[in-house]
Amino acid sequence: MAHQAGGQWPAPRPVPEGCEVQAYLQDYATLLEAVPFPSLVVDHRWNVVMANGPFETLFRGVRPHPTAMPGDNFLRFVLFHPDAGAILGEHEAGWCLPMLAHLKTAVERYGHDRELQAVRRDVAQDPIMEAAYRQGLPHWILAVGEAGAQLDGAVRLLFHPDPRRGPTECRIVDETPRTLQEIGCTRLTMVLRDARRPAAASRRPRRPRGAGTHLTVVPAPKD
């Protein structure tokens, strides 16, 4: 079984299914660990049900956070962890906005889900994130099209902690089997590519929490 960044990976999260599905998930965790690329299984809230060793390696340098660790909830990590932009390259357009789009879809579909509503409230408490959710998303989707919000097939930039890789593109592949679909889970794998991005593709500076600047996709308010 894989480990969580910063500590021993916990037992797989419980799912409301019988022993047969539990046994399937245990065997699936073994399969996941054999994959050489970062791979994880999430539920509809983006809670991480299981993840493999390469996923842990990718996020091993992440500092502790009370609610946004990558091995706990990947949506929260992308949106709220101050270290997210140090690993997820082109964080705003490549990761944050697509995940906000996924949050919007999930909230509309599972309107009374307490965990999703809690994420939505946390977004609303951050003026920059709320502006992105309400104003940035429509402009961004208009610019990139609905397909731009989809993760499957997307090529994204990572800053891998392995110095032999450094800035590395990955293709996100949704390879969810039927059994996982039936229990509301999704498997995503980040297939690391050999062709590296130029070193000039530098990291954006981390945005201090509560900073008063605007995301570049959000139109600045008119005076």
Side-chain angles (χ1 to χ4, degrees):
M1 184 66 66
H3 295 73
Q4 182 179 8
Q8 182 73 26
W9 184 261
R13 295 177 185 271
V15 292
E17 302 292 340
C19 295
E20 184 176 348
V21 173
Q22 289 288 346
Y24 176 89
L25 290 177
Q26 291 176 1
D27 291 337
Y28 199 85
T30 302
L31 170 66
L32 202 70
E33 191 56 40
V35 175
F37 302 115
S39 190
L40 71 163
V41 174
V42 296
D43 64 15
H44 72 277
R45 306 176 183 97
W46 290 86
N47 288 325
V48 178
V49 177
M50 64 181 76
N52 64 2
F55 181 88
E56 175 203 357
T57 298
L58 179 62
F59 297 102
R60 68 187 176 193
V62 168
R63 293 171 293 176
H65 189 284
T67 63
M69 293 301 289
D72 291 335
N73 186 288
F74 195 69
L75 172 64
R76 281 189 170 276
F77 171 73
V78 173
L79 297 183
F80 302 122
H81 200 294
D83 293 345
I87 300 172
L88 307 176
E90 299 170 349
H91 177 245
E92 178 188 321
W95 298 91
C96 188
L97 285 167
M99 293 302 281
L100 282 175
H102 280 276
L103 172 62
K104 187 174 187 298
T105 299
V107 168
E108 292 172 352
R109 182 175 180 183
Y110 307 100
H112 300 292
D113 187 287
R114 291 183 178 180
E115 289 189 44
L116 290 172
Q117 290 295 334
V119 177
R120 178 66 187 94
R121 286 194 299 272
D122 287 347
V123 167
Q125 291 174 4
D126 184 321
I128 295 175
M129 199 74 69
E130 181 69 2
Y133 189 87
R134 290 184 176 275
Q135 300 173 324
L137 275 181
H139 287 276
W140 178 70
I141 291 176
L142 184 64
V144 303
E146 294 288 343
Q150 300 303 314
L151 290 179
D152 182 42
V155 176
R156 298 289 185 253
L157 178 63
L158 297 174
F159 297 112
H160 202 283
D162 186 340
R164 295 171 297 181
R165 288 191 176 275
T168 303
E169 286 184 334
C170 75
R171 185 178 296 279
I172 302 175
V173 178
D174 183 338
E175 44 185 344
T176 308
R178 184 180 63 183
T179 301
L180 289 184
Q181 288 180 339
E182 290 174 350
I183 61 173
C185 290
T186 301
R187 176 186 171 185
L188 297 170
T189 299
M190 304 175 190
V191 181
L192 304 180
R193 307 174 84 180
D194 291 334
R196 302 182 188 179
R197 289 285 295 268
S202 58
R203 309 181 186 202
R204 290 174 179 259
R206 291 174 185 166
R207 175 175 64 86
R209 296 186 65 82
T213 55
H214 282 270
L215 294 172
T216 58
V217 296
V218 182
K222 297 181 179 179
D223 295 331

